[in-house]
Amino acid sequence: MTTARLPLFPLNAVLFPGLVLPLNVFEERYRAMMRELLKTDEDAPRRFAVVAIRDGRETAPTGSGMPDAVNVPAERGPADGFGPDPVQTFHRVGCIADAAKIRERPDGSFEVLATGTTRVKLLSVDASGPFLTAELEELDEETGEEAGALAEGVLRAFRSYQKRLAGASERSLTTGADLPDDPAVVSYLVAAAAVLDAPTKQRLLQAPDTATRLREELTLLRSETAVIRHLPSLPAVDLTRAPTHPN
């Protein structure tokens, strides 16, 4: 069992291994985290953990994507807004992110570009410092039986889903021509790219193995494609593609 202690970045979004995460960091407790990461040698990984906040919980005004600037609130403690026991506020499975780019702006905020690397289980949260840190257990990605065949089925279903979604929203989407062959990578990419709510994405992230994730994705894609086929338009699709604030 491999464990690590890393800075903890809660979001109202789910990060998957291999997926890119752009962030605007405005709040002081997360600025402090980025300043600490910048102390790491440029050639070494600048790692932090991303966990999704459970529904109904507060989130910090730090945007994923590159939204317009927001007003910076008064300085808050590392666990403010996350209740007396922060670990209960977060989903227990998250993802390590490696920050390839951390750029400080003149106003002290940061532009960050990170990539998900490894799934982790949240064991404990420490709020004694200027930002949250967590003890984490890295989770192996077990392939499971039938993953290869399931991945082929998911890719076919995803291409059909993309075509239906593009037609419904009257816009072009990336074709499936360049999608990967590795079953685990397929499962992560489809989970991130499909228009699904955060609880569903979280459920996919914490699937016990690749085959289970692919099997659920196949069911979801077929269901969503059937729904789209009977809708004249999907006005909410653009909301999933625009830069957002987590709160």
Side-chain angles (χ1 to χ4, degrees), residues 24-232:
N24 269 330
V25 178
F26 296 97
E27 197 173 348
E28 175 53 34
R29 52 184 167 179
Y30 302 112
R31 294 186 191 193
M33 180 188 300
M34 295 306 144
R35 290 193 292 268
E36 183 64 27
L37 289 174
L38 281 173
K39 296 178 183 178
T40 304
D41 188 87
E42 191 172 356
D43 295 330
R46 291 171 171 169
R47 303 197 307 164
F48 59 97
V50 173
V51 291
I53 300 168
R54 294 184 184 276
D55 282 351
R57 303 289 187 163
E58 184 178 347
T59 180
T62 299
S64 58
M66 293 300 167
D68 295 334
V70 298
N71 293 327
V72 179
E75 184 174 337
R76 309 170 75 188
D80 283 358
F82 298 132
D85 185 10
V87 74
Q88 301 301 324
T89 303
F90 310 133
H91 285 285
R92 295 300 180 92
V93 175
C95 185
I96 292 177
D98 183 3
K101 174 183 178 182
I102 304 177
R103 184 178 71 86
E104 185 171 8
R105 300 190 183 97
D107 65 359
S109 65
F110 288 87
E111 178 183 337
V112 180
L113 191 64
T115 303
T117 62
T118 307
R119 293 188 309 145
V120 287
K121 180 179 179 180
L122 183 64
L123 301 178
S124 64
V125 176
D126 183 0
S128 63
F131 50 83
L132 295 176
T133 59
E135 184 179 2
L136 307 153
E137 177 187 345
E138 295 188 11
L139 296 176
D140 294 331
E141 180 68 21
E142 300 292 340
T143 302
E145 295 182 6
E146 303 179 68
L150 284 166
E152 293 178 5
V154 166
L155 286 176
R156 288 193 297 269
F158 185 61
R159 291 187 183 100
S160 176
Y161 168 81
Q162 282 189 308
K163 290 176 182 177
R164 291 288 180 182
L165 192 62
S169 62
E170 298 182 353
R171 63 188 298 168
S172 296
L173 297 178
T174 303
T175 67
D178 296 326
L179 290 174
D181 295 325
D182 180 89
V185 176
V186 169
S187 75
Y188 291 140
L189 177 60
V190 169
V195 182
L196 303 169
D197 60 26
T200 301
K201 287 180 180 283
Q202 179 64 39
R203 191 169 69 248
L204 292 172
L205 178 69
Q206 61 193 41
D209 54 59
T210 301
T212 300
R213 186 179 304 110
L214 289 166
R215 197 172 290 112
E216 182 166 357
E217 287 170 350
L218 191 57
T219 300
L220 287 166
L221 289 170
R222 287 172 174 170
S223 175
E224 292 294 312
T225 302
V227 170
I228 294 168
R229 186 181 299 120
H230 294 93
L231 292 179

